[in-house]
């Protein structure tokens, strides 16, 4: 491992471990303070808002990361900077989201409105992260992420000091904390004029990335929504959400490695042999990590879950055991998907994620009425396994060549 890679990975893991520790501690605190019923509503609102956040992002965070790592978009001096276009898109979609909030039940209006506003700033922070990582400033990106996580945690902590805090107070705390982070010097990349200027060279890849993000979030999050709609027990939603938080913790720890892998793959785009070697090595690392995480989760997961959330979440323990079965597919999928995006073959990836989302919804609709939360866990495993098979088939059939559009851009 080179010193530069070691430094980048160390800084990213340090930031991720810190952010994970703060996030996990905050989640455990919310679970205890809110209780299963309100924690279930909080998880539901969080899920709905995070799905809409895909539209707020519009695929720009991935595009900015890719283009700053190795530019491929045709040079166009008349086109506004990508950050300006991203912020213009973000502002317009956030206004749309706030206008749609009254369509939801009255009890969800206030927390959902606060959540949509928070995710606007969360998305802006993600754009800053993408720019920093694309320019190989992984250490600065780690500090930025740690700052954002600290500010939002402090905001929520203050909100929980108010009498009888609920989901609305929690999301307002997130919003206030993220606003403070964005006005610090780290957020200076956001101080550009927002512009709305749709062009094909920008919005064509953005549309593919948008579809990918939407489909991925849907099959990661629709289980919470469908559990809420198809069961009469709010506590079941809270127990499932608590178990899934541990799975998300493992995914969070693997994310920095995947991002560094992506930049390495992107830079070796013109050397097929080097690309293939890096891809094979990275896939092996993720497979090993997935096995270790699954075994560790089975051994230590019940203890961690009980310690973190308390004995009232005992029903979440068997759900965790089932959900751990998805990790041997989720982590290798990271490398498979990053490789496709690096190659400019995001259309194939987008198609597979849309199919996976449809499959996940159908499986949840079938299994939740029969098996409740266990059915949602089984649907997750089946979806990830199917996606893994489809992604692997892309490389079996297409090899490691860049997409046609990418090749054309490289020639220019």
């Amino acid at each position: 491992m080179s010193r530069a890679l070691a430094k980048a990975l160390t800084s990213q893991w340090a930031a991720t471990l810190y952010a994970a520790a703060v996030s996990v501690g905050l989640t455990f605190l919310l679970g205890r303070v809110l209780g299963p019923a309100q924690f279930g509503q909080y998880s539901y609102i969080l899920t709905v808002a995070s799905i809409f956040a895909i539209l707020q992002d519009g695929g720009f965070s991935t595009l900015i990361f890719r283009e700053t790592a190795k530019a491929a978009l045709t040079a166009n001096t008349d086109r506004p900077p990508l950050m300006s276009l991203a912020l213009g898109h973000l502002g317009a979609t956030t206004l749309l989201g706030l206008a749609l909030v009254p369509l939801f039940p009255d009890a969800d209006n206030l927390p959902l409105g606060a959540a949509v506003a928070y995710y606007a700033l969360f998305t802006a922070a993600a754009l800053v992260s993408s720019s920093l990582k694309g320019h190989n400033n992984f250490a600065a990106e780690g500090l930025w992420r740690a700052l954002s996580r600290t500010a939002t945690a402090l905001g929520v902590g203050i909100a929980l000091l108010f009498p009888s805090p609920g989901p609305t107070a929690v999301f307002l705390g997130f919003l206030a904390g993220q606003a403070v982070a964005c006005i610090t010097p780290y957020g200076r990349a956001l101080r550009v004029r927002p512009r709305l200027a749709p062009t094909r060279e920008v919005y064509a890849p953005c549309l593919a990335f948008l579809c990918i993000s939407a489909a991925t979030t849907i099959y990661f999050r629709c289980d919470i929504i469908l559990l809420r709609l198809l069961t009469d027990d709010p506590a079941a939603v809270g127990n499932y959400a608590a178990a899934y938080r541990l799975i998300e913790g493992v995914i969070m720890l693997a994310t920095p490695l995947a991002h560094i892998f992506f930049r390495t793959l992107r830079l070796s785009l013109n050397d097929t042999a080097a690309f293939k070697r890096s891809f094979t090595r990275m896939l092996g690392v993720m497979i090993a990590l997935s096995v270790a995480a699954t075994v560790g989760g089975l051994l230590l997961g019940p203890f961690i879950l009980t310690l973190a959330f308390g004995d009232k979440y005992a029903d979440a323990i068997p759900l965790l055991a089932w959900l751990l079965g998805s990790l041997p597919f989720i982590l290798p999928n990271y490398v498979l998907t990053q490789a496709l995006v690096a190659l400019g073959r995001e259309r194939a990836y987008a198609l597979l994620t849309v199919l996976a989302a449809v499959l996940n919804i159908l499986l949840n609709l079938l299994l939740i009425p029969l098996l409740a939360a266990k059915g949602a866990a089984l649907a997750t495993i089946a979806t990830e396994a199917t996606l893994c098979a489809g992604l692997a088939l892309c490389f079996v059939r297409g090899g490691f060549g860049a997409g046609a559009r990418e090749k054309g851009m490289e020639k220019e």
Side-chain angles (χ1 to χ4, degrees):
M1 181 183 293
S2 67
R3 294 183 62 182
L5 177 59
K7 180 180 178 181
L9 191 54
T10 300
S11 63
Q12 285 289 292
W13 263 339
T16 298
L17 287 172
Y18 173 75
V22 174
S23 297
V24 169
L26 188 59
T27 298
F28 295 162
L29 178 63
L30 290 174
R32 288 179 175 272
V33 173
L34 298 179
Q38 279 202 319
F39 187 67
Q41 185 194 19
Y42 160 78
S43 298
Y44 168 73
I45 296 295
L46 184 71
T47 300
V48 173
S50 66
I51 290 176
F52 185 77
I54 299 165
L55 184 60
Q56 290 173 298
D57 177 85
F60 277 98
S61 61
T62 304
L63 184 65
I64 288 173
F65 186 10
R66 190 176 76 174
E67 295 307 311
T68 51
K70 182 178 175 65
L73 288 178
T74 305
N76 184 349
T77 56
D78 296 328
R79 174 176 56 77
L82 287 178
M83 185 64 77
S84 294
L85 294 175
L87 292 178
H89 174 89
L90 175 59
T93 51
T94 299
L95 291 176
L96 173 63
L98 294 174
L100 295 175
V101 166
L103 298 178
F104 287 79
D106 292 343
D108 294 334
N109 282 174
L110 286 178
L112 186 56
V116 169
Y118 159 65
Y119 267 105
L121 295 185
F122 176 88
T123 301
L127 295 174
V128 175
S129 289
S130 294
S131 178
L132 290 171
K133 288 184 292 186
H135 286 105
N136 202 28
N137 294 326
F138 285 98
E141 194 279 333
L143 291 173
W144 163 244
R145 200 150 31 96
L147 171 64
S148 295
R149 183 73 281 185
T150 300
T152 53
L154 289 174
V156 173
I158 293 172
L160 292 178
L161 296 176
F162 287 86
S164 302
T168 302
V170 171
F171 285 117
L172 287 175
F174 275 126
L175 176 62
Q178 192 65 73
V180 170
C182 286
I183 63 175
T184 64
Y186 278 101
R188 61 181 175 272
L190 301 174
R191 295 163 195 169
V192 296
R193 179 186 175 187
R195 296 284 300 274
L196 275 174
T199 60
R200 185 179 182 278
E201 66 172 354
V202 171
Y203 275 87
C206 274
L207 180 59
F209 294 137
L210 176 62
C211 290
I212 290 168
S213 296
T216 302
T217 302
I218 287 172
Y219 75 70
F220 266 122
R221 301 293 186 181
C222 74
D223 45 9
I224 295 287
I225 296 176
L226 292 176
L227 272 173
R228 168 77 178 266
L229 297 176
L230 299 177
T231 61
D232 298 325
D233 184 10
V237 182
N239 284 319
Y240 183 85
Y244 205 87
R245 287 296 184 271
L246 297 189
I247 303 298
E248 290 178 331
V250 175
I251 297 172
M252 183 183 296
L253 290 174
T255 299
L257 191 59
H259 286 170
I260 293 173
F261 283 173
F262 172 79
R263 192 173 189 278
T264 301
L265 290 171
R266 183 70 177 170
L267 290 175
S268 62
L269 186 63
N270 297 329
D271 187 339
T272 303
F275 188 100
K276 187 175 181 179
R277 286 195 302 270
S278 296
F279 170 82
T280 303
R281 183 173 61 251
M282 295 168 186
L283 185 60
V285 169
M286 281 300 189
I287 291 174
L289 287 177
S290 69
V291 173
T294 302
V295 174
L298 289 172
L299 294 176
L300 301 176
F303 170 74
I304 296 174
L305 193 60
T306 303
L307 178 66
F309 288 97
D311 293 334
K312 57 188 175 182
Y313 285 88
D315 290 341
I317 293 176
L319 297 176
L320 175 61
W322 284 103
L323 285 169
L324 284 168
S326 64
L327 285 180
F329 304 107
I330 291 176
L331 297 188
N333 282 350
Y334 249 133
V335 175
L336 294 170
T337 56
Q338 298 282 28
L340 281 179
V341 173
L343 290 168
R345 292 160 61 184
E346 59 270 5
R347 292 182 183 178
Y349 177 24
L351 176 60
L352 286 172
T353 52
V354 169
L355 293 176
V358 172
L359 174 63
N360 189 259
I361 292 172
L362 293 176
L363 288 175
N364 274 296
L365 290 173
L366 174 64
L367 296 175
I368 288 177
L370 297 175
L371 302 172
K374 179 182 174 181
L378 291 174
T380 297
I381 296 173
T383 300
E384 290 294 340
T386 302
L387 178 61
C388 187
L391 292 168
L393 184 61
C394 284
F395 290 98
V396 171
R397 298 182 61 181
F400 294 89
R405 178 175 170 77
E406 186 78 6
K407 288 179 180 178
M409 290 177 177
E410 288 294 323
K411 290 177 182 179
E412 294 176 0

